[in-house]
Amino acid sequence: MTSWNESRAAYRDAAGWFAGTTATITDQWERVALGEWTVRDLVGHTSRSLLTVESYLAAGREVSVDPEHPPEVEIGSAVDYYGVIGVGAGDPAAVAERGRAAGRALGAEPAASVAGIVGRVLAEVDRATGDEFVLTPFGGMLLADYLPTRVFELAVHGCDLAASLGIPPTVPESAVSIAVHLLGDLAVRGGKGPELLLAGTGRGPLTDRFSVL
């Protein structure tokens, strides 16, 4: 199990890497990046790995005002979270549009907007203990269980962004560790653990478009 301090440090490292990569973008904002997304859209979508922490914490505080009736923790782990959203994530077109909307919301200076978001959200996470209640659209959970999913998203989409810019995906080791750990747990949950184990030890190839999500 990953400790709260480890998750928080990995989140800080991943967010800093994302902001640093975004700061290198010059005239590539409208370049095709991932599927139908441009670089701007992808950066906007990735920024939601920060913005949702902020908004879900705020929503959690609103329902945590009565200490005699604490809100229910419905999602007990990062793996459970992906199990839930795998069923209820919604229309792919709606997901794509949320990314485009998030990109537009970054405004005329998207890199500066990302830097501001990173600074603001990391300050809030630094003050947290991990026991805070976060209210996601899929159910309530603890921040300590939600944050590794955001590390995972920053790592994966940070790699997508690096690929679209033609630069190496220098993901911080702390973030890679948490992302790969979660990847393994998701593979086991989905019955794909043996396939991943064999491929990871050079004993067999992964199937085309292999995914644990």
Side-chain angles (χ1 to χ4, degrees):
M1 298 296 291
T2 304
S3 72
W4 166 243
N5 285 336
E6 289 170 332
S7 291
R8 182 164 52 182
Y11 187 65
R12 171 171 286 281
D13 292 344
W17 172 60
F18 168 54
T21 302
T22 301
T24 69
I25 300 171
T26 54
D27 59 350
Q28 303 107 319
W29 290 104
E30 302 308 316
R31 176 187 295 180
V32 175
L34 181 67
E36 60 188 272
W37 279 338
T38 64
V39 168
R40 174 185 279 272
D41 300 336
L42 177 57
V43 169
H45 176 76
T46 308
S47 73
R48 286 176 50 78
S49 297
L50 296 142
L51 293 170
T52 57
V53 171
E54 184 177 54
S55 61
Y56 294 174
L57 273 170
R61 282 192 291 269
E62 289 184 5
V63 299
S64 302
V65 294
D66 185 356
E68 294 187 4
H69 300 89
E72 181 181 359
V73 174
E74 300 162 293
I75 305 173
S77 70
V79 174
D80 290 342
Y81 176 80
Y82 279 106
V84 171
I85 70 170
V87 174
D91 181 2
V95 175
E97 178 53 34
R98 284 197 295 272
R100 288 191 290 268
R104 292 192 296 269
L106 294 175
E109 298 185 11
S113 295
V114 167
I117 292 167
V118 167
R120 188 176 73 236
V121 175
L122 288 184
E124 185 159 10
V125 171
D126 281 345
R127 293 190 296 268
T129 66
D131 294 327
E132 290 80 5
F133 182 78
V134 295
L135 184 59
T136 83
F138 309 99
M141 60 193 304
L142 297 180
L143 179 60
D145 296 320
Y146 181 63
L147 203 64
T149 73
R150 302 306 89 191
V151 175
F152 183 85
E153 296 292 334
L154 284 167
V156 171
H157 288 307
C159 287
D160 292 332
L161 181 59
S164 73
L165 299 174
I167 61 177
T170 54
V171 192
E173 289 185 3
S174 59
V176 170
S177 178
I178 286 180
V180 170
H181 187 158
L182 181 52
L183 192 75
D185 287 345
L186 288 167
V188 171
R189 174 70 67 92
K192 298 180 178 180
E195 187 177 356
L196 183 61
L197 180 64
L198 290 172
T201 55
R203 288 166 169 77
L206 291 174
T207 56
D208 185 45
R209 307 295 295 174
F210 175 87
S211 175
V212 300
L213 299 176

